[in-house]
Structure formats: structure tokens, C-alpha cells
Amino acid sequence: MASEAGKAPAIPGRRVLMFPLPFQGHLSPMLQLADVLHARGLRVTLFHAAFNAPDPVAGYRFVPVGAGVPAADLVPTGSDADFVGALLRFNERLQGAFQDSLREVLEEEEGARPACLVLDSNLRGMQVVADRLGVPTLVLRTGGAACLVAYMAFPALCDKGLLPLQDHAQLNMPLDDLQPLQLGDMVFSTTTPHETMSNCLERIMESARYSSGVIINTFSELEGADLQKIIHGLGVPVYAVGPLHKISPSAQSSMLDTDKTCLNWLDKQEVKSVLFVSIGSLASMTQEELVETAWGLANSCLPFLWVIRPNLVQCSGKVGLPEGFEEVTRGRGMVVSWAPQQEVLGHQAVGGFWTHNGWNSTLESICEGVPMICRPHFADQMINARYVQEVWKVGFELEGKLERGKIERSVRKLFCQEEGGEMRRRAKDLEDKATECMKKGGSSETRINLLVDFMMSLPC
Ligand code: UDX
């Protein structure tokens, strides 16, 4: 997808700087990209928020930014957490510290300028600093191409008076220019004020437009049409280099302790019999929803592996699984606090995934040919779910209030009905396409080569 990228002689050991956001769904793809670049001969310096250093990687340099800034100032917590406001704060609070750190790194390496800084697209504040110090930037989009297209269209919907949403009756309004999206898919948060959301999206789009190129964790066989819209809309080179977790499977970066005992448990289950239930690292549910989910899974009578991470339930009172649930599901259900998700999805026993449709989870499911029950919560998740249901047809949305009977019927639809079987077959086709794009001469392998050439060609 890259536009013309000049071939340049490789400069051995040229350095690339990187700056991810300190959230699981953003950190992992950045580290995977770092691994890809490192494997092609680039050296890596990784800036990171001081409060959460990623696990060290041999051969990389890690530079903490903002020591002394409390995590609580940067990371949202609580049921009504405003993630978007936190992103803007992250930029404000760390911009000065980043300027000092970047200047130090550049001075230490005088005479060997880094090729560029690759930063998360939410870090427009850091991009401004890099521009000031003469370091070219590339932006990593950890979401899909459809999401970026939707972000590009957001201001026009505001100009038309459709956003902020005036009337709940408009939630299902089809958006002709953004098919198959509906207006409700563009309501990215119910806790963030509209002005804050607009500001955040404007900064994401600025980071893309003012960059030397945009890197997207997707592949052209999956999102070709949306990638074309981005290429035409942005005017900078666009590199679709995913699925990064498959291209760089060894780049692990779990922020929580992973319980691998579930893999032994999966070994004992029948092929494609288990539903994996996980809603990522940020989304949450109420205690009432937890109870409905528990009984929905129990009543389905099918095996399940369920991730209940420590802060999954937003509740000030008693939190926990309902009485009797463990006895009823003993032997056919397992609960863990954090799973090795990619290995789980790749396990032969897993036949379905109840997901919140964070982009990483969506891509991981697609790459293993696992059909999905979609239960999006916020941000890009509604867009991803819409594509899973309407475009790729490898899953369906569990809509409305969470209720045990509805959950039971959804699980049965995926595992026991012909419709679910068709979704599974289409998911297998997508898995094959994902495998192809990574092979020599495949679309993503080609884009990665172009990206590395481009980085090498940037002025020394
Ligand atoms: C966030 C946003 O919510 C998401 O919409 C956006 O696209 C990226 O940033 P998150 O909610 O955590 O990410 O979801 P997701 O993108 O799916 O990333 C979660 C990651 O955690 C996945 O890579 C998944 O494999 C991993 N995970 C999740 C585990 O390793 N174990 C688990 O038990 C659960």
C-alpha cells in the first residue's frame, strides 16, 4: 500500500526510536513492530511511560519518560473512566519530559541520527516535540483501517449535525458513505464529552497527516477498500504490515501474569468445542452482567474458558460468581484471571470467541479462523464488530441488555446451528488469507520491505 518508497542502501545498525501507549492493546503491536524492524537490522530505542516499563528485550535500549508522574494521573480507572481524557492528559503531562529525554538521546548519539520516531497515533504531543528537534515521525495505528476511515469522516458527521447524537432513534441510521457502519458505531464513548472526543480524533488525524507515513496493523486482503480510502485521504505513504502478532509471535508483552494452566485444560477438550470468553484489558461489566453471563454460559451446557481479570467488574459492593455456578460447570468450564490469548485462540479445542472486538482480539481471532460472538463496549470496537458481522460474516453481535437466555441462545447458534458453521468456514478462509499475506512476496511482507527501505532512505 505504500506509495513510492525509494530503495536506499541499508545502513547497518541504523536506529529507530519508538514510543507506544502504556495499554496492552497498544503496547503489544508496537513491540511486535519493533521486533520486525530489529529482525531486519534496525536498532531499537523504546521510550515508555516511566510507571510501567515493558519487560526488557535483549538488544533494545529502553528510555523511561516522566519519572515522578503518578500513574493515577495518566491511566483511567473506575466504571465511568474517561479514557479519551486520559489520552489527552498523557500527552500534556509527558510532553516536557519527552523533550528532555529525546534531546539527551540525540546528543548521546550525535553523528548517528536515528532514522525516525515511530509513535502511537494517540501521541500527537510527542510528535510535535520530535518535529521541533528535527526527527521524522511515522505513526502506528494499532486499530484497523476501517476505524481510521471512520475517524476521518467524524468531522463531516459533526458538520451535518448528526454528531453528537441528538436522538437515540438515530442510532441505527445507516451511513451511506461509510457502509456498513451505522451512526451508533460512531458514538465512541458514552463517558467522554463530545468536545474532548472531537479534540482527541483531530489530534489522531493530525498525527497521521503530519507524519512521514502511517503504519497499520492490518492486511490488504482484509481491508483493501478502506486502505485505499486512507491512501487517497491522507496524502502520506501507508503501510499495511499486519497481522503483527503472527509475523512476530515471540514479541510478548503481557502486562498481567498469564495463567497457562488453561492450555493443559484445553488439551483435554474436544476439537472446536470450547467457547473462549474475554473482553480485553480495559472493558468492564457490572456485577449483574457478570451473573447473567455466568448463568448464560452454564445453561448453554457447552465447555467454556472465561477470563475474569481483577478489574473486570465495576462495582463497589460484593463482586463474584453466583453461588452454585462452580458446581454446575465443574469439569466443563474454566475461569482464569488472564489467559495466553493468542495460544488459546490457536488451540484446536477452541471453536468460538466471545469478544469485545478490540482490534487485537479481532485480528487474533481472524488469524486463527475462530468465529466470534461480538459484544463491543467502546472506541473502535463497534466498528470492528460491524465488520465482523456484515463484511467478513465471521460472527454476530450479541445486542441489547445482557440476559442469560439470550447468551445461551447465542452460544448455541455459534456452536450448534448451521449459521455458526458457515461463519466458521468463512473464518477459515480469512485465516488462509492472513497466512498468505505474510509469506515471501505476500502483501504484508512486501509492505514491510518497503517500510524498512523507506526508513533507511530517510536523511542521516
Ligand atoms: C484497546 C481498545 O479497547 C481496543 O478497542 C483498541 O483497538 C486497542 O486498544 P483492549 O481493549 O485491551 O485494547 O483490546 P485488544 O485490542 O483486543 O487487546 C487486548 C490484548 O490483550 C490482545 O492482544 C489479547 O491477546 C491480550 N489478552 C487479552 C491476553 O493476552 N490475555 C487475556 O486474557 C486477554
Side-chain angles (χ1 to χ4, degrees):
M1 287 296 149
S3 58
E4 292 307 299
K7 267 258 178 213
I11 302 166
R14 187 119 202 238
R15 187 168 289 281
V16 62
L17 313 177
M18 308 187 97
F19 198 158
L21 264 187
F23 301 127
Q24 186 72 66
H26 292 256
L27 182 62
S28 296
M30 187 67 88
L31 287 173
Q32 288 149 4
L33 177 64
D35 193 57
V36 167
L37 298 176
H38 193 241
R40 280 172 163 73
L42 284 147
R43 288 186 299 147
V44 173
T45 294
L46 197 118
F47 293 89
H48 62 88
F51 73 86
N52 79 332
D55 292 339
V57 180
Y60 292 11
R61 177 173 178 197
F62 284 81
V63 181
V65 177
V69 180
D73 285 7
L74 306 172
V75 179
T77 50
S79 58
D80 56 352
D82 175 11
F83 292 103
V84 181
L87 290 175
L88 295 172
R89 252 190 343 269
F90 189 92
N91 277 277
E92 277 163 25
R93 298 293 312 268
L94 293 192
Q95 201 176 23
F98 176 60
Q99 174 149 316
D100 296 342
S101 300
L102 180 57
R103 192 171 275 136
E104 263 173 46
V105 165
L106 295 177
E107 279 167 8
E108 281 169 26
E109 301 205 2
E110 196 50 65
R113 298 281 293 179
C116 60
L117 168 69
V118 180
L119 37 73
D120 190 281
S121 64
N122 289 286
L123 296 181
R124 169 70 182 138
M126 314 306 160
Q127 186 182 42
V128 170
V129 167
D131 283 349
R132 217 178 276 149
L133 298 183
V135 179
T137 56
L138 280 99
V139 157
L140 174 64
R141 280 289 311 152
T142 57
C147 167
L148 190 55
V149 170
Y151 287 1
M152 283 161 74
F154 188 85
L157 294 174
C158 299
D159 291 347
K160 284 185 191 161
L162 292 169
L163 293 171
L165 194 69
Q166 305 298 324
D167 180 354
H168 272 62
Q170 291 182 314
L171 278 172
N172 300 114
M173 178 196 282
L175 297 174
D176 291 341
D177 298 339
L178 291 173
Q179 278 179 25
L181 299 186
Q182 302 176 357
L183 190 57
D185 302 332
M186 302 290 288
V187 180
F188 300 124
S189 166
T190 51
T191 53
T192 304
H194 177 73
E195 289 311 313
T196 313
M197 179 58 75
S198 298
N199 188 2
C200 180
L201 296 186
E202 196 182 321
R203 289 166 70 86
I204 289 175
M205 293 317 303
E206 278 176 4
S207 79
R209 290 202 176 94
Y210 295 138
S211 73
S212 300
V214 174
I215 305 165
I216 310 187
N217 187 16
T218 189
F219 54 102
S220 56
E221 289 76 0
L222 186 69
E223 296 200 281
D226 283 308
L227 283 164
Q228 285 304 326
K229 286 187 192 170
I230 295 170
I231 290 169
H232 292 127
L234 282 185
V236 299
V238 174
Y239 301 91
V241 299
L244 284 167
H245 72 284
K246 294 297 276 187
I247 295 169
S248 259
S250 60
Q252 292 298 342
S253 62
S254 191
M255 291 169 80
L256 291 169
D257 286 338
T258 306
D259 183 346
K260 290 205 165 204
T261 58
C262 58
L263 295 173
N264 302 331
W265 180 81
L266 284 174
D267 287 344
K268 297 187 199 105
Q269 309 304 316
E270 284 178 24
V271 174
K272 299 207 187 308
S273 67
V274 176
L275 175 71
F276 177 51
V277 185
S278 162
I279 63 169
S281 64
L282 300 172
S284 57
M285 53 172 50
T286 62
Q287 170 65 16
E288 190 192 344
E289 288 172 326
L290 183 88
V291 169
E292 288 305 305
T293 304
W295 288 126
L297 294 175
N299 298 344
S300 75
C301 298
L302 292 162
F304 62 86
L305 171 62
W306 185 8
V307 178
I308 303 187
R309 40 160 237 274
N311 58 350
L312 179 79
V313 179
Q314 0 139 336
C315 185
S316 48
K318 187 172 173 283
V319 172
L321 288 164
E323 218 170 293
F325 171 77
E326 273 179 51
E327 291 93 84
V328 174
T329 59
R330 188 161 292 137
R332 83 172 156 86
M334 183 169 190
V335 174
V336 292
S337 57
W338 193 249
Q341 181 166 305
Q342 288 158 35
E343 285 171 80
V344 166
L345 287 170
H347 196 287
Q348 58 169 8
V350 171
F353 184 17
W354 170 334
T355 172
H356 70 312
N357 287 115
W359 182 245
N360 293 289
S361 295
T362 305
L363 205 51
E364 288 161 16
S365 204
I366 284 172
C367 289
E368 304 303 338
V370 177
M372 291 166 250
I373 296 176
C374 305
R375 180 79 186 169
H377 289 240
F378 55 77
D380 56 340
Q381 297 159 16
M382 289 78 73
I383 294 172
N384 302 335
R386 187 72 59 203
Y387 270 63
V388 166
Q389 180 168 282
E390 308 288 340
V391 179
W392 307 313
K393 301 184 194 310
V394 292
F396 59 91
E397 188 172 345
L398 171 49
E399 286 179 276
K401 194 170 185 289
L402 265 193
E403 181 267 309
R404 61 191 76 183
K406 207 193 288 179
I407 294 169
E408 183 188 338
R409 284 191 294 280
S410 296
V411 177
R412 288 181 169 280
K413 175 170 157 182
L414 191 65
F415 281 85
C416 310
Q417 291 175 9
E418 178 50 25
E419 224 179 313
E422 283 166 14
M423 290 172 194
R424 184 161 290 114
R425 281 189 284 282
R426 283 190 287 266
K428 174 76 184 101
D429 287 348
L430 274 188
E431 178 191 355
D432 293 345
K433 286 184 179 150
T435 306
E436 284 303 309
C437 81
M438 297 183 279
K439 288 185 180 161
K440 196 162 171 48
S443 65
S444 290
E445 203 260 357
T446 305
R447 305 303 170 232
I448 289 170
N449 290 339
L450 285 169
L451 173 64
V452 172
D453 288 348
F454 180 66
M455 286 179 171
M456 296 295 194
S457 75
L458 288 164
C460 296

